[in-house]
Amino acid sequence: MSKKISILLNGIIKENPVLVLILGICPALAVSTQAENAIGMGLATTFVLLGSNITISLLRKSIPNKVRIPCYIILIAGFTTIVQMIVEAYAYGLYQALGIFLPLIAVNCIVFARAEMYANKNGVLDSAVDAIGMGAGFTIALLMIATLREVLGSGTWFGFKIPVLNGNSIEAFTLAPGGFIAFGIIIAIINKVSKGKAIKRDNFGCEACPSKAVCGKFAGVNAEGAK
């Protein structure tokens, strides 16, 4: 398997941001009441990931290490504003459906994590492939959650009525608790199929945090202060 394909599949399967690393849960649950909204949020996030990863990779040797975080924030916020304006101009219905969660892509931990953990350390092409893989993984995860919630909660899929289920839906799946239930069901299925290998405990620890180096330094300072 070539390196590029491995990087691409990493974000979709091995390190799926939502289903494996458990990142970006807020937008994943908030906009996943309909499959159409999930696709829209996934594509918008992929656009921001791609733009920020490529730009940060290009500038990684020019950005001073001490100000890299503010620079990342500005770049990510800029690409988020661009995608927000595009969606508002050409897909106003989707713009209204996504609401506040569209501009909040600027603070999505998935985007920031890839900037710090990957784009900051790798070439432009690899960073672009990583962004596409992570974006695709995020989109697929949202679509899985949204499909379960829309089918069971509304009896439709992409707006098309499903026989039997339409009119006999479980309304709870369209509400906030239903999002958590659907997410839990999908995580349980993945955990069962992978025999517990998909979701590892160390994914939730400091090793997976993009700010662990900074946090460690502050921890050291605090520890000395406490002494």
Side-chain angles (χ1 to χ4, degrees), residues 162-178:
I162 300 175
V164 181
L165 289 176
N166 187 255
N168 296 291
S169 56
I170 307 172
E171 189 176 351
F173 277 95
T174 64
L175 305 176

Side-chain angles (χ1 to χ4, degrees), residues 9-23 144 183 185-204 208:
L9 294 179
N10 185 60
I12 298 174
I13 302 173
K14 186 178 178 181
E15 292 186 12
N16 185 288
V18 176
L19 303 179
V20 176
L21 300 183
I22 319 298
L23 298 174
M144 290 173 65
F183 181 62
I185 291 172
I186 292 172
I187 289 294
I189 292 173
I190 291 174
N191 204 28
K192 179 66 176 179
V193 171
S194 66
K195 297 181 180 180
K197 295 180 180 179
I199 304 174
K200 297 180 180 179
R201 187 178 181 83
D202 57 8
N203 284 330
F204 301 91

Side-chain angles (χ1 to χ4, degrees), residues 88-162:
E88 184 178 9
Y90 297 102
Y92 191 68
L94 178 63
Y95 174 79
Q96 289 184 310
L98 297 181
I100 189 61
F101 290 97
L102 186 57
L104 282 178
I105 293 175
V107 292
N108 190 314
C109 52
I110 299 171
V111 182
F112 181 78
R114 299 325 292 175
E116 175 72 356
M117 296 178 67
Y118 201 91
N120 185 42
K121 302 177 179 65
N122 293 276
V124 176
L125 186 55
D126 284 351
S127 296
V129 175
D130 176 76
I132 294 172
M134 283 291 166
F138 181 66
T139 305
I140 291 170
L142 259 65
L143 181 58
M144 290 173 65
I145 298 171
T147 294
L148 184 60
R149 294 184 69 185
E150 184 179 355
V151 169
L152 295 180
S154 302
T156 62
W157 192 59
F158 283 99
F160 295 101
K161 295 181 179 180
I162 300 175

